[in-house]
């Protein structure tokens, strides 16, 4: 075997299995109206991606792809702090209408708080963001997104999870059980760290995947190996993923996803600064600012009081989730077709099809989707394919949805096979 490549396909056995929380987060994003579900799939796909800096070429000991994957899996770093730059280019049009229409629907559906992590997930699906991260063991973590003199932070400290939006001066609070050894219980709705992104990419490694070591690089001042992951199958929109792995600690530092269509990376995410020292204890302290509106999540003990939470007269219990009769109906019947990188998610919305545009929100949704839509026909009848540079979705006129990181032709083929 050559020192910098593997002729065998690396298997997924032995890799860290943290998919349950991530999948749960995706289901949360997908249970709302179908258009939001489609865009939510694109946003959640950030968990598959990232990018690598072209700086330095350090001389490091030879290593195989299997050994590098094992190094990532065995990494036991519990303490770190740093700054991550995340750039996403899904090829979406301006999100102004989306924010006023669909995003407002998500926020209202999750309790009406702009600080709710679920409402922030979508915002990482476009543009460039600076994120500061810190961790001290499985029960202390902080993620802060810095935007135009404002800051949005998620702080996990013991059983408490706080989220604060400085722009609106709103706070969201929920409780989480203390993490068991080796299990991180920090919020998963907003995958922002290179480790979260790398773990998700590595879950895709199976016999449909080519994995090699593609030389070395220097990221955030640290020597790193480059792990190159490529689909063997045709029909996927994923061209290649590169993960920069810290040579000393095994921590993923930076990544890249390049689409099969070429051009710039779909997502570029990685540390610009990183340190593996214990953060100050005060990093994870949080007290709601005076006058802030505090919303209790449904999993918080205080949320049982429908009149509001303790300590804030502005607090209120969240509204109930959308009813089973909305356009998210039928998502419990979600199934997948295909294998590996060509996997397609299929579900039935209950025959309600596309929004009519009769309401102001529906009009915004319809206008946004029509700007992306490509009308197609087949055995399934007719439908519309909505495309990004990575995730595509086919919504048939009878309300069935087929979505994945696959080409339009692959979606039409799957829909035809289902009829």
């Amino acid at each position: 075997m050559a020192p910098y490549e593997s002729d065998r396909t690396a298997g997924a056995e032995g890799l860290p299995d943290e998919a349950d929380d991530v999948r749960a987060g995706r289901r949360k994003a997908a249970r709302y109206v179908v258009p939001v579900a489609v865009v939510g799939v694109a946003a959640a796909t950030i968990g598959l991606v990232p990018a690598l800096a072209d700086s330095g070429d350090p001389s490091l000991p030879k290593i195989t792809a299997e050994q590098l994957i094992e190094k990532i899996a065995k990494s036991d770093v519990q303490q770190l702090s740093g700054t991550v730059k995340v750039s996403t280019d899904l090829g979406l049009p301006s999100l102004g209408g989306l924010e006023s229409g669909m995003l407002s629907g998500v926020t209202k559906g999750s309790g009406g708080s702009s600080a709710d992590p679920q409402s922030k997930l979508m915002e990482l699906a476009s543009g460039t963001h600076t994120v500061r991260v810190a961790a001290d063991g499985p029960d202390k973590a902080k993620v802060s997104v810095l935007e135009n003199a404002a800051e949005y932070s998620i702080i996990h400290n013991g059983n408490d999870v706080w989220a604060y939006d400085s722009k609106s001066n709103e706070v969201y609070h929920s409780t989480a059980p203390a993490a068991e050894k080796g299990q991180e219980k920090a919020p998963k709705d907003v995958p922002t760290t290179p480790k979260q992104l790398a773990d998700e990419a590595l879950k895709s490694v199976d016999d449909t995947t080519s994995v090699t070591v593609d030389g070395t690089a220097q990221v955030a001042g640290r020597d790193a190996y480059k792990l190159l992951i490529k689909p063997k199958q045709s029909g996927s929109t994923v061209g290649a993923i590169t993960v920069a792995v810290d040579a000393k600690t095994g921590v993923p530092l930076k990544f890249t996803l390049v689409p099969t269509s070429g051009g710039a990376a779909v997502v570029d995410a990685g540390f610009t600064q990183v340190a593996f020292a214990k953060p100050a204890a005060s990093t994870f302290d949080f007290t709601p600012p005076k006058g802030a509106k505090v919303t209790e999540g449904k999993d918080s003990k205080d949320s049982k009081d429908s009149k509001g939470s303790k300590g804030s007269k502005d607090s209120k219990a969240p509204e109930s989730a959308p009813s089973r009769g909305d356009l998210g109906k039928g998502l419990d019947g979600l199934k997948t077709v295909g294998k590996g990188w060509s996997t397609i998610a299929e579900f039935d919305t209950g025959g309600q099809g596309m929004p009519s545009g009769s309401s102001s929100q529906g009009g915004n949704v319809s206008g946004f989707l029509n700007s992306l839509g490509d009308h197609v026909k087949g055995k399934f009848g007719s439908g519309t394919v909505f495309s990004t540079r990575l995730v595509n979705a086919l919504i048939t006129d009878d309300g069935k949805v087929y979505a994945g990181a696959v080409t339009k032709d692959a979606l039409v083929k799957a829909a035809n096979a289902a009829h």
Side-chain angles (χ1 to χ4, degrees):
M1 181 181 298
Y4 273 111
E5 66 180 319
S6 169
D7 292 329
R8 295 184 301 166
T9 298
E13 184 178 356
L15 295 179
D17 186 9
E18 302 176 12
D20 290 345
D21 287 341
V22 176
R23 294 192 184 105
R26 290 176 181 170
R27 286 195 293 272
K28 290 177 185 177
R31 73 185 175 202
Y32 298 96
V33 296
V34 170
V36 173
V38 173
V39 180
V41 171
T45 307
I46 292 175
L48 287 176
V49 290
L52 188 65
D54 295 327
S55 61
D57 188 14
S59 177
L60 294 171
K62 309 297 189 208
I63 192 171
T64 65
E66 290 86 353
Q67 290 170 335
L68 188 52
I69 289 176
E70 184 178 5
K71 190 177 186 71
I72 298 171
K74 289 184 176 180
S75 178
D76 61 353
V77 170
Q78 296 287 311
Q79 300 169 332
L80 65 80
S81 59
T83 302
V84 178
K85 183 178 179 181
V86 181
S87 296
T88 311
D89 181 8
L90 287 168
L92 293 169
S94 172
L95 295 182
L98 179 64
E99 292 171 348
S100 62
M102 294 189 292
L103 280 181
S104 64
V106 173
T107 301
K108 292 178 181 178
S110 57
S113 173
S114 67
D116 189 333
Q118 289 187 46
S119 69
K120 291 294 179 179
L121 172 66
M122 309 275 268
E123 295 184 12
L124 293 179
S126 178
T128 297
H129 305 269
T130 298
V131 182
R132 288 179 182 164
V133 299
D136 183 9
D139 287 323
K140 291 186 177 182
K142 182 175 182 179
V143 176
S144 298
V145 182
L146 311 180
E147 301 288 350
N148 298 324
E151 178 175 325
Y152 173 77
S153 294
I154 302 175
I155 304 100
H156 178 211
N157 193 343
N159 290 336
D160 291 303
V161 177
W162 296 94
Y164 176 58
D165 184 354
S166 69
K167 185 176 181 180
S168 63
N169 198 28
E170 293 193 24
V171 175
Y172 184 88
H173 174 245
S174 64
T175 57
E180 299 176 7
K181 185 177 181 181
Q183 291 184 325
E184 182 185 353
K185 292 297 183 181
K188 296 291 186 179
D189 282 346
V190 187
T192 52
T193 68
K195 184 182 186 308
Q196 289 173 331
L197 303 176
D199 285 348
E200 195 65 13
L202 289 174
K203 290 183 180 73
S204 301
V205 174
D206 56 19
D207 60 2
T208 68
T209 311
S210 167
V211 183
T212 59
V213 177
D214 188 30
T216 62
Q218 193 169 74
V219 178
R222 299 185 65 87
D223 293 346
Y225 293 102
K226 297 191 296 183
L227 187 68
L228 182 63
I229 303 170
K230 286 185 175 183
K232 290 182 177 179
Q233 301 166 297
S234 61
S236 174
T237 55
V238 177
I241 294 174
T242 305
V243 182
V245 183
D246 187 69
K248 184 176 181 180
T249 66
V251 172
L253 296 175
K254 199 167 184 179
F255 323 67
T256 287
L257 184 144
V258 177
T260 53
S261 59
V266 171
V267 176
D268 178 49
F271 283 102
T272 57
Q273 295 178 325
V274 65
F276 296 101
K278 180 182 177 71
S282 60
T283 302
F284 311 104
D285 292 338
F286 181 79
T287 300
K290 184 178 180 179
K293 172 186 174 183
V294 180
T295 300
E296 293 289 342
K298 64 180 180 180
D299 54 347
S300 299
K301 60 182 179 181
D302 291 339
S303 67
K304 294 180 181 179
D305 180 3
S306 61
K307 295 182 179 180
S309 66
K310 300 177 182 179
S312 174
K313 64 181 179 180
D314 292 325
S315 303
K316 65 178 182 177
E319 300 171 10
S320 60
S323 69
R324 301 288 297 177
D326 65 14
L327 284 174
K329 179 181 177 182
L331 286 182
D332 285 343
L334 177 72
K335 64 179 181 179
T336 60
V337 295
K339 178 182 179 183
W341 300 89
S342 298
T343 300
I344 296 172
E346 175 186 341
F347 59 91
D348 194 334
T349 65
Q352 298 189 46
M354 293 296 298
S356 64
S358 57
S359 68
S360 60
Q361 180 170 323
N364 286 336
V365 170
S366 297
F368 172 74
L369 292 176
N370 286 334
S371 70
L372 296 176
D374 184 8
H375 298 285
V376 294
K377 294 183 178 181
K379 294 180 180 179
F380 54 86
S382 60
T384 307
V385 174
F386 304 104
S387 302
T388 72
R389 298 179 65 216
L390 185 64
V391 177
N392 295 319
L394 165 61
I395 304 179
T396 63
D397 288 350
D398 62 358
K400 291 183 175 59
V401 178
Y402 304 84
V406 297
T407 63
K408 178 182 73 173
D409 290 343
L411 294 176
V412 171
K413 183 178 180 180
N416 283 334
H419 286 74

